[in-house]
Amino acid sequence: MTERAVHSIASKGGAHGIDSRVLTVSPRGGCDEADLSGYRIKRYAAWRSGGSPAFIARFRREAAWADLLHFHFPWPCAQWAYLLGRVAVPAMATVHADAAGGGLLARRGRDGFLARMRRIIVTSPNYLEGSAILRGLHGKVEVVPAGIEDLPARDPEAVWRWRQRIGQRFFVFLGGLRDYKGLHYLLDAMQGRDYPLAVAGDGPERPALEAHARAAGLRSVRFLGPLGEDDKHDLLAAAYGFVLPSCRRDEVFGLPLVEASVHGLPMISCEVGTGTSFVNLHQETGLVVPPCDARALGAALDRFWLEPAQATAWGEAARRRYVDHFTEQAMVARHAACYGAILGRAPEAGGRAHGGHAYCWRLPDTKEATMPIDPRRGRPASPASRPSHPSTPSNLPEAAVDETGNEDPGAELTELPEHEKQEQAGIPPDERGGRSGRAKHERTVGNHPVDPNSMPSRIGLPVGVDREAAADPGRQTPEAPETDNRS
């Protein structure tokens, strides 16, 4: 999920004036390359554990390019690079998992890192409510649901081929085959029922699941292995209902549920206190049952099968909910509004096509202080919600930095706007240069005047570890680094 979100913001953020770079680490070695969508991805060589001394050593220099850093948490390497480098660039983080536990040093590092974030994003209110590490930080947390791009109608012949292969009505599971996905409980629920079930994806649990199905005599269960993007969406378009039996909070959001809702599929999921019950609303877009309960899963499958009109109505509601809450366009716009609010600048309506993975946002060197927009309401934020330090990190006054080089959130910024400096110097208004109030200000590039608000902002996106084996073969994503986040 993380890789897909980063790619969307990096590739589509140019429409909001965002210029981004992606920083990550890879056990396969370092490289600096351009994604086909136009943004740059810089990978540092890393150990198998994900640690990268080179990344930590150079992170402060990399961060100097940006006006805003956007981390995807948990990622200890980037966390310690930010803290040890005494980076003063404003930062925010998207929290994908609690990363609870660890020793005293790990907990202090985690808590200190989150405390320095200007804003924290989570993908669902359900996850926030159950998060242990975000207690006491709710005042700076914002919910921005993960979103994916809508798709055109599928080829009817491709849909027909899947139904010929599996059944005219069948259930589908899509995702990595891992223990927290709860597929053993789904196979138990299938005993005594001959509903066709397609299991798309691969993972370490696949041999055990196939053995379980054979031992139980489940001849209507098909293990399809990893699928390409087209085959995956054709399969979803052909299916009758979607089942995600995940049984632990490791399933942070449940992006496969969003993929199912794109195709108008009714859904069955389990209540694990995360985004799965935010995407799939009980009795509205499908059914939500207790986790680790094969009997409850079986009853939900029965109701779907025996009440096709109700299942169809739930599927239609799932499609509407996708359009209202989980589109890629909405997700990118919400992030752009969040970036602008942190930096004291309203998001732009248009801009050059640029992109960003640890994100680095950069505004022009000369900026006008504008009232931030509250992304939840679409209007100017209240004074209490405005950022206390709207200046660019590269131009932070000394009062905002303590003797160790760390940003001091309690310090007052004392640098005055140019027109106020000139006023204090006694220069008459008609002879003053620079800006006054919110008047439009021009700067030049070469001999050409340029409005700074038309120049792209830059965001740096430090993200995660690029592993050799992609983690979720059932959900292939654009070429982008992987992280430790599971969903």
Side-chain angles (χ1 to χ4, degrees):
M1 183 178 76
T2 303
E3 300 84 358
R4 189 177 225 165
V6 167
H7 176 77
S8 293
I9 298 167
S11 60
K12 305 295 172 59
H16 300 273
I18 301 173
D19 188 7
S20 306
R21 292 180 184 175
V22 173
L23 302 177
T24 188
V25 298
S26 170
R28 291 177 290 182
C31 66
D32 187 353
E33 59 189 7
D35 182 86
L36 294 177
S37 302
Y39 62 92
R40 298 204 67 79
I41 304 174
K42 189 168 185 178
R43 295 177 172 89
Y44 281 89
W47 301 325
R48 290 285 177 180
S49 63
S52 174
F55 178 87
I56 293 175
R58 295 176 181 267
F59 184 72
R60 183 183 177 97
R61 184 185 305 173
E62 296 279 11
W65 174 87
D67 289 311
L68 177 64
L69 298 171
H70 183 176
F71 294 90
H72 287 260
F73 180 91
W75 185 26
C77 183
Q79 168 189 304
W80 288 112
Y82 181 72
L83 294 174
L84 297 175
R86 299 175 179 178
V87 177
V89 179
M92 59 179 285
T94 296
V95 174
H96 296 279
D98 274 3
L104 179 62
L105 181 62
R107 293 195 299 271
R108 286 187 173 178
R110 177 199 69 203
D111 294 343
F113 173 79
L114 292 174
R116 290 194 63 186
M117 297 297 102
R118 296 286 184 86
R119 189 160 299 185
I120 295 171
I121 286 177
V122 295
T123 51
S124 72
N126 309 53
Y127 176 79
L128 174 60
E129 185 178 350
S131 174
I133 67 171
L134 295 180
R135 290 172 187 162
L137 299 175
H138 286 203
K140 59 180 177 181
V141 175
E142 181 171 347
V143 176
V144 179
I148 62 175
E149 188 175 14
D150 202 357
L151 295 167
R154 309 310 297 173
D155 179 3
E157 185 175 346
V159 172
W160 176 83
R161 284 198 298 268
W162 277 116
R163 288 177 178 163
Q164 288 294 108
R165 178 178 175 183
I166 302 173
Q168 289 302 303
R169 287 201 297 168
F170 65 90
F171 293 98
V172 64
F173 164 89
L174 173 68
L177 306 188
R178 305 187 183 96
D179 59 349
Y180 72 88
K181 294 290 185 177
L183 282 162
H184 286 283
Y185 298 103
L186 178 57
L187 295 180
D188 287 341
M190 292 291 293
Q191 293 191 41
R193 298 175 172 90
D194 58 356
Y195 310 142
L197 170 66
V199 177
D202 206 351
E205 290 292 302
R206 183 176 177 180
L209 290 169
E210 290 181 335
H212 187 151
R214 286 194 300 270
L218 301 178
R219 292 185 295 273
S220 60
V221 177
R222 302 286 187 90
F223 289 88
L224 304 177
L227 299 178
E229 285 294 300
D230 284 341
D231 284 340
K232 175 181 73 175
H233 288 291
D234 290 340
L235 174 69
L236 290 171
Y240 176 71
F242 188 87
V243 189
L244 185 68
S246 299
C247 55
R248 298 203 308 263
R249 276 179 64 86
D250 300 61
E251 190 72 73
V252 175
F253 185 72
L255 198 64
L257 292 169
V258 179
E259 293 179 307
S261 68
V262 168
H263 297 280
L265 281 179
M267 298 168 281
I268 298 171
S269 59
C270 297
E271 180 54 79
V272 292
T274 66
T276 60
S277 299
F278 177 64
V279 180
N280 181 28
L281 299 181
H282 183 58
Q283 296 279 17
E284 184 173 328
T285 60
L287 295 174
V288 178
V289 302
C292 309
D293 190 335
R295 182 175 296 181
L297 279 170
L301 293 170
D302 289 341
R303 186 168 180 193
F304 267 49
W305 198 261
L306 298 174
E307 300 181 24
Q310 180 63 77
T312 299
W314 284 334
E316 292 170 350
R319 171 65 190 181
R320 291 193 298 269
R321 185 161 175 77
Y322 160 74
V323 172
D324 291 342
H325 297 281
F326 304 116
T327 63
E328 180 185 63
Q329 182 180 8
M331 179 188 69
V332 174
R334 290 283 299 277
H335 277 85
C338 185
Y339 299 156
I342 292 173
L343 296 176
R345 168 176 169 170
E348 296 181 13
R352 296 191 321 211
H354 289 281
H357 226 57
Y359 298 109
C360 302
W361 237 50
R362 186 170 177 82
L363 293 169
D365 293 334
T366 304
K367 291 178 290 298
E368 181 175 1
T370 58
M371 183 176 291
I373 299 298
D374 185 334
R376 294 168 294 181
R377 298 177 176 84
R379 58 177 183 263
S382 63
S385 66
R386 298 176 197 169
S388 57
H389 302 302
S391 302
T392 358
S394 57
N395 296 323
L396 280 176
E398 292 182 1
V401 181
D402 64 22
E403 64 274 8
T404 66
N406 289 320
E407 182 184 347
D408 180 5
E412 292 294 330
L413 298 182
T414 57
E415 186 175 10
L416 295 175
E418 187 64 28
H419 70 280
E420 292 188 25
K421 292 180 182 178
Q422 293 174 356
E423 181 179 355
Q424 291 186 2
I427 301 175
D430 56 352
E431 297 180 11
R432 296 175 193 165
R435 288 174 288 172
S436 176
R438 294 181 181 272
K440 183 176 181 180
H441 174 71
E442 288 188 335
R443 57 179 295 207
T444 60
V445 176
N447 296 321
H448 304 285
V450 178
D451 178 359
N453 286 327
S454 69
M455 300 179 69
S457 306
R458 299 183 189 171
I459 284 208
L461 316 167
V463 184
V465 180
D466 182 22
R467 298 192 184 88
E468 292 184 74
D472 212 331
R475 289 188 288 111
Q476 296 185 4
T477 60
E479 181 64 26
E482 284 212 6
T483 72
D484 286 330
N485 306 317
R486 300 173 175 180
S487 61

